[in-house]
Amino acid sequence: MKEGALSAAPGISVPVIWSVLGYSFPGGSMIVGLLACFMVRLFITLDAPGPKRWLLDGIVTGMAMLITAVWIVEHQVDLFAALGTGGTAGAVGAGIISFFKRRGQSAIDALDAVIPGKPVVPPEMTAAPREIDKTD
């Protein structure tokens, strides 16, 4: 009778724990987080107007997935939190890159202004094609 009662009890699910480079984390959460991040980045890439910049989008996607993986390992999140983490990191990835790109460009422009003897580039050459079209 005891054996029958034990087999009728619902099974207990134990999460699979993976270990990479000495860090342990739930495998299911990692898969969910990375897939969510990748799918959001793919949607953003395919939905963007104009020509696709696959190399830049690949780098941004890789960085967003890396941030997702580190967050999941550090915080040992469950499945739903991993889904939110991956989606958020994927969506914010482009914003972070464009923020640093703008900051980096302003720093480069400031350095160019300070360097003596450097020829000045006319603004028409550095303007985006759409800005040039507006002036004509």
Side-chain angles (χ1 to χ4, degrees):
M1 182 75 175
K2 227 178 188 184
E3 294 170 10
L6 286 176
S7 64
I12 299 171
S13 65
V14 179
V16 174
I17 303 297
W18 290 345
S19 181
V20 174
L21 300 174
Y23 293 97
S24 299
F25 53 89
S29 296
M30 183 63 73
I31 290 172
V32 166
L34 291 177
L35 282 176
C37 181
F38 180 74
M39 285 187 267
V40 168
R41 289 297 312 143
L42 188 62
F43 174 77
I44 290 172
T45 300
L46 294 176
D47 194 44
K52 305 300 181 226
R53 302 166 310 210
W54 292 108
L55 181 61
L56 178 61
D57 287 327
I59 292 170
V60 172
T61 300
M63 288 180 63
M65 290 177 76
L66 187 61
I67 290 168
T68 300
V70 169
W71 184 270
I72 290 170
V73 169
E74 285 294 317
H75 296 282
Q76 299 292 314
V77 299
D78 59 358
L79 285 173
F80 190 72
L83 180 66
T85 300
T88 303
V92 173
I96 291 171
I97 296 301
S98 64
F99 171 77
F100 284 112
K101 189 175 168 184
R102 280 194 306 266
R103 299 295 277 173
Q105 186 61 47
S106 63
I108 290 169
D109 293 342
L111 285 174
D112 284 345
V114 174
I115 297 173
K118 183 169 178 158
V120 178
V121 178
E124 295 83 26
M125 291 184 69
T126 59
R130 291 185 180 154
E131 291 175 11
I132 293 173
D133 292 340
K134 288 179 186 176
T135 59
D136 289 340

